[in-house]
């Protein structure tokens, strides 16, 4: 079962960008953790990060052709601005879980609105990088049960 882990703008700076908020793990650390967790759950985890909205949209578009069964996405700042990401995710009809390392609801007011949450299978916020592992566990459970989006 293939899962796609997508990370949006500025997540390539994990480990150095505001470590008090985002922690010390790098994106490479997060991706390695997710591949390990995925393997333990019987998932093949593919990873992709981009600072460009169109690149993320393009990656989502090809996911279905690659047999991706679930997406775990941290859209970063695009959470609050991107109708294009929402349309791409709903357009391919692959279920997804939205993940945020920080608790966006304890931050600036503009971060309280997500263009993705209402169409996501679930949303994990504020649990640090463990949120990615929890999202993979939830995705595996849903796929094993045969849940429909």
């Amino acid at each position: 079962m293939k899962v796609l882990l997508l990370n949006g703008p500025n997540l390539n700076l994990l480990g150095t960008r505001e470590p008090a908020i985002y922690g010390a793990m790098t994106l490479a650390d997060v991706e390695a953790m997710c591949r390990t967790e995925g393997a333990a759950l019987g998932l093949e985890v593919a990873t992709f990060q981009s600072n460009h909205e169109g690149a993320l949209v393009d990656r989502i578009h090809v996911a279905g052709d690659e047999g991706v069964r679930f997406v775990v996405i941290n859209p970063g700042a695009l959470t609050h601005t991107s109708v294009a990401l929402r349309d791409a995710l709903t357009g391919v009809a692959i279920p997804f879980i939205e993940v945020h390392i920080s608790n966006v609801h304890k931050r600036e007011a503009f971060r309280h609105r997500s263009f993705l949450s209402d169409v996501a299978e679930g949303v994990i916020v504020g649990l640090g990088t463990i949120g990615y592992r929890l999202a993979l566990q939830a995705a595996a459970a849903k796929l094993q049960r045969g849940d429909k989006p």
Side-chain angles (χ1 to χ4, degrees):
M1 293 182 288
K2 191 168 187 178
V3 173
L4 176 60
L5 172 65
L6 290 176
N7 280 285
N10 299 312
L11 288 157
N12 58 303
L13 298 176
L14 283 177
T16 58
R17 176 186 175 212
E18 300 177 271
I21 294 173
Y22 299 107
M25 286 185 81
T26 66
L27 181 59
D29 294 335
V30 169
E31 291 174 342
M33 172 187 72
C34 288
R35 283 190 292 274
T36 299
E37 182 73 21
L41 296 165
L43 303 174
E44 176 189 346
V45 178
T47 63
F48 184 78
Q49 186 277 330
S50 181
N51 293 318
H52 305 281
E53 181 179 37
L56 292 163
V57 168
D58 289 344
R59 185 65 185 90
I60 292 165
H61 286 177
V62 300
D65 295 335
E66 297 173 337
V68 170
R69 304 267 315 276
F70 223 99
V71 172
V72 173
I73 183 169
N74 182 341
L78 294 174
T79 303
H80 323 292
T81 63
S82 183
V83 174
L85 271 184
R86 177 192 175 95
D87 289 351
L89 287 162
T90 58
V92 298
I94 299 170
F96 70 95
I97 296 174
E98 179 183 345
V99 174
H100 297 283
I101 296 168
S102 69
N103 183 346
V104 295
H105 303 290
K106 289 177 71 174
R107 300 188 62 197
E108 304 92 341
F110 69 85
R111 295 187 195 275
H112 299 177
R113 170 75 168 110
S114 169
F115 279 89
L116 305 179
S117 294
D118 67 317
V119 292
E121 290 292 302
V123 180
I124 299 171
V125 298
L127 299 179
T129 55
I130 194 173
Y132 289 98
R133 291 179 56 208
L134 296 171
L136 289 171
Q137 291 169 15
K142 286 178 172 288
L143 289 169
Q144 288 166 358
R145 286 193 312 258
D147 287 2
K148 301 292 181 206

